[in-house]
Amino acid sequence: MHPGGILEVITGPMFAGKTTELIKRVERQIFAKKKAALFKPSIDNRYSENEVVAHNGLRYEAFVIPTNVDGVRKMAEITRKEGYEVIGVDEVQFFPDEIVGMLEELADSGVYVIASGLNLDFKGDPFPVTKELLVRADNIIYLTAVCTVCGKPATRTQRLINGKPAPRDSPVIMVGGRESYEARCREHHIVP
Ligand code: ADP
Ligand code: TMP
Ligand code: MG
């Protein structure tokens, strides 16, 4: 069922299943005959240029949006012009602050907005955009992965450079997958 205008946030560490959950939710709305679209940031070219792709291979076609204010405007414009009733945004943490107000306006105007993204960076510090969306959300889906060291629920993301924990002064944004990141629990998350 289409829940009407709401802001839903899917969050957690890498490999938690955020993208899988986002695709599942958008696909269900398409089965319910709602006009739905997915958006993703242009900097995330890990697996595909024009699709949202999960670490397990699940994929769905998406609008590719630059991670600047113009990109945020474009997302709103596409949604309004095409009359999308449901929109999903993957990797929401990569977009500028302006996306928060924009998504909330869309939800206020009746769009079912699903934003998916990392809550914390590799240091365990919040991504400001996700943090801001989380406190404004009508519904939060908090997912955990599996710690690669002990198998317990993982709530953190370990960045590895040449197999070693990345230092605190490593840049916040570094697109990557299994070669540079691992899901870890609090105990096994290391920031030298
Ligand atoms: P996210 O977008 O949160 O990074 P995805 O939906 O892209 O997650 O991928 C989830 C998939 O990642 C799982 O279905 C599983 O196949 C795979 N995976 C790889 N490593 C792990 C891990 N440590 N814990 C859980 N799932 C993992
Ligand atoms: P994922 O949550 O779908 O697995 O993707 C997260 C993306 O974010 C991936 O490209 C790696 C990137 N990333 C950063 O840029 N900085 C970080 O601190 C972390 C943890 C991930
Ligand atoms: Mg993902």
Side-chain angles (χ1 to χ4, degrees):
M1 205 185 69
H2 183 252
I6 70 160
L7 173 62
E8 196 162 70
V9 178
I10 303 170
T11 196
M14 285 183 71
F15 309 103
K18 301 183 299 297
T19 299
T20 305
E21 185 65 31
L22 177 67
I23 293 173
K24 175 187 152 190
R25 282 173 185 255
V26 168
E27 199 179 32
R28 284 173 66 98
Q29 294 303 320
I30 291 168
F31 277 117
K33 307 223 167 10
K34 298 295 168 188
K35 207 167 150 56
L38 267 178
F39 296 94
K40 74 165 209 176
S42 51
I43 57 170
D44 177 18
N45 56 0
R46 284 177 300 178
Y47 300 108
S48 167
E49 290 293 344
N50 61 342
E51 291 162 312
V52 165
V53 185
H55 295 294
N56 49 26
L58 183 67
R59 52 180 66 221
Y60 223 90
E61 204 174 356
F63 289 104
V64 181
I65 305 293
T67 47
N68 53 36
V69 177
D70 275 349
V72 171
R73 278 199 207 107
K74 195 174 161 208
M75 229 186 281
E77 196 183 297
I78 293 171
T79 304
R80 294 207 173 97
K81 215 182 242 169
E82 301 294 326
Y84 285 115
E85 299 164 281
V86 181
I87 63 159
V89 184
D90 203 12
E91 307 287 7
V92 75
Q93 77 275 359
F94 289 147
F95 287 101
D97 296 348
E98 285 77 3
I99 196 167
V100 176
M102 188 279 278
L103 292 181
E104 216 173 28
E105 271 174 34
L106 287 178
D108 286 345
S109 72
V111 178
Y112 172 18
V113 177
I114 316 170
S116 179
L118 290 170
N119 50 350
L120 303 173
D121 64 20
F122 74 100
K123 294 176 282 191
D125 293 334
F127 274 104
V129 161
T130 316
K131 184 175 164 181
E132 197 61 36
L133 286 169
L134 280 167
V135 295
R136 292 163 191 269
D138 300 287
N139 188 29
I140 296 170
I141 298 112
Y142 179 68
L143 302 172
T144 57
V146 176
C147 176
T148 53
V149 177
C150 69
K152 285 188 190 142
T155 56
R156 299 287 186 279
T157 307
Q158 182 69 53
R159 179 183 289 170
L160 297 167
I161 297 174
N162 300 321
K164 292 207 182 81
R168 192 168 287 278
D169 62 2
S170 186
V172 171
I173 295 181
M174 191 184 106
V175 171
R178 230 171 283 218
E179 73 298 336
S180 336
Y181 291 101
E182 283 184 6
R184 298 277 181 96
C185 67
R186 188 181 276 276
E187 187 188 345
H188 294 117
H189 180 246
I190 303 160
V191 189

